[in-house]
Amino acid sequence: MKYALIGCGRISTNHVKAVINNKLEFAAVCDIVPEHMEAVLEKNGLQNDSSIKRYTDYKRMIKEIRPELVGIATESGLHAEIALYCIDHGIHVIIEKPMAMNMSDANEIVRRSEEKGVKVSACHQNRFNVAVQEMRKALEQGRFGKISHGSIHVRWNRGKAYYEQAPWRGTWAQDGGALMNQCIHGIDLLRWMMGNEVEEVYGATRQQLHPYLEAEDIGMAVVKFKNGAIGTIEGTTNVYPQNLEETLYLFGENGTVKIGGKSTNNIDVWNFADESDADQRNKGLEEQTSNVYGNGHTSLYADVIDAIQNDRAPYVDAYAGKNALEMILAIYKSQKTGMPVKLPLEGFAALDMQGEFDG
C-alpha cells in the first residue's frame, strides 16, 4: 500500500516507525521545511533512501505520487484542510489529533469521507494501549455493572523550550491549549469508556504559568453522561518539574480500575467482584514505552490498513475524532459563557476563545 506523510514535526517519527513496522510502501514525505523531512528520515535510518520522494507542497505530492494512504501530522490548524483535500481525491487518511479545530470542519470530514467511501482514522493511539484494551474488554463484558463515575487526569509539564520549537503551539488559530493538545487523548478515552453520549459539560480553564501563550495551561470540567454517569476532567501542563501522570479511573457497582503511568500505560488498580485467576495478570501490568506517545501508532496503522483492505470502519474512526474535539470545544464554550453547555455542540471553534485570557 502506497503511503505518504504530511508534516514532519515532533510526533512524525511515531508515524514513520508505524510505516516501517507495517511494511507500507513509503513513497513520499512532505514538509514546508526541508530540514524537518531529513531529520525525521535520518532518525529512522532512511536518510539515504532515494525511493522516498521529498515535497514541500502536499497538493503537488498527491498529484504526482497518488498515495493510497496519507498520515497528517502538521500543525493542528491545517489538519482539516489537508484531510478534506485528500478525501476529495479518494485517499484514506490518518489524522493526528485534534482532527479539526471547529465542529463544522469535523462534520464535513465525516460527511465527505462517507460520501466518497474513504477511510478516516483519528490518531487516538492510546486506545490500543494494553491497559486500555483490558479495561475496555472488561467494560464490554459487563463486569463493571452500572457505571457510577470516571475521571481522567493529565498532569504534565511543558516549558518555554517546548513552545519555542513551533510558533503555532498554544495559539487559538492553530493549536488551542493543554486540553486540545495534551489532554485530548485522555478525554477521548473517558468519553469512549463512559458510553459516548454526553448530556452536558461544565468547565473552567485558565492561563496560569505560560504568559507567552494565548491558550489555557489548565482546564477542568464536570461531564454529565446520558446514561446517568458523571465524569471529571483535569488537564494541565503546569506540573513541576516534569510529567507526572496520565490516569484514567472507572468506577462501577462491581468493579474499580485505575490506569496510570505517564500515558495510561499501566494498571495500578484492578478489582472486580467476579475476580478469577485470569485477573491476576492485570494487577500491576506495565507496558514499557519510550515516550508519552506510547506504542499505539503501529497498532492504529495496522488497524487502518486492515480496514481499507476489508472495507470496514477503522477502530478509531472519524466519529471518535469528532467526539473528542466536541468535548474540548464544549469546555471552551463553558469557560467563555460561564454556563454549562448542552451537547451536541454546533458552531463553536477554538478561535472563538481569542482574547479570553488577555489582561
Side-chain angles (χ1 to χ4, degrees), residues 3 7 23 31 81 88 147 218-219 264 270 284 293 309 315 348:
Y3 171 89
K23 298 180 172 55
D31 197 287
E81 172 193 316
D88 286 344
I147 300 297
I218 170 68
T264 55
W270 184 271
Y293 304 125
Q309 292 172 339
Y315 188 68
F348 195 82

Side-chain angles (χ1 to χ4, degrees), residues 129-256:
N129 290 356
V130 175
V132 172
Q133 282 288 300
E134 289 298 315
M135 176 189 273
R136 184 68 186 185
K137 183 165 65 176
L139 180 68
E140 291 178 351
Q141 290 172 345
R143 297 187 66 196
F144 283 92
K146 180 181 179 181
I147 300 297
S148 168
H149 61 290
S151 63
I152 184 72
H153 308 272
V154 182
R155 294 162 173 159
W156 284 0
N157 169 279
R158 291 293 184 273
K160 196 168 187 178
Y162 166 82
Y163 294 101
E164 287 177 342
Q165 288 175 354
W168 54 269
R169 289 179 180 156
T171 64
W172 289 122
Q174 295 294 325
D175 186 25
L179 294 178
M180 189 74 86
N181 199 323
Q182 282 77 31
C183 196
I184 191 168
H185 290 297
I187 289 172
D188 165 65
L189 294 180
L190 182 70
R191 180 167 184 172
W192 184 46
M193 294 293 183
M194 300 287 282
N196 266 326
E197 297 299 317
V198 176
E199 180 182 316
E200 186 178 87
V201 176
Y202 180 66
T205 63
R206 293 290 186 274
Q207 169 46 257
Q208 302 280 39
L209 305 179
H210 298 75
Y212 42 88
L213 303 181
E214 294 177 358
E216 86 284 354
D217 56 15
I218 170 68
M220 294 188 176
V222 176
V223 184
K224 294 180 183 178
F225 290 88
K226 289 186 177 178
N227 60 11
I230 300 172
T232 60
I233 293 167
E234 173 192 350
T236 185
T237 51
N238 291 343
V239 174
Y240 177 85
Q242 61 192 12
N243 289 351
L244 178 62
E245 61 184 346
E246 180 175 357
T247 55
L248 175 67
Y249 292 82
L250 194 57
F251 300 94
E253 61 181 331
N254 299 318
T256 295

Side-chain angles (χ1 to χ4, degrees), residues 319-341:
Y319 287 96
K322 174 184 168 181
N323 284 345
L325 173 69
E326 183 181 47
M327 290 278 277
I328 294 164
L329 291 179
I331 297 170
Y332 285 169
K333 186 174 183 180
S334 183
Q335 165 64 28
K336 190 83 170 179
T337 63
M339 299 292 291
V341 173

Side-chain angles (χ1 to χ4, degrees), residues 248-270:
L248 175 67
Y249 292 82
L250 194 57
F251 300 94
E253 61 181 331
N254 299 318
T256 295
V257 173
K258 175 192 175 186
I259 297 179
K262 293 289 179 65
S263 56
T264 55
N265 54 298
N266 301 333
I267 295 178
D268 294 342
V269 176
W270 184 271

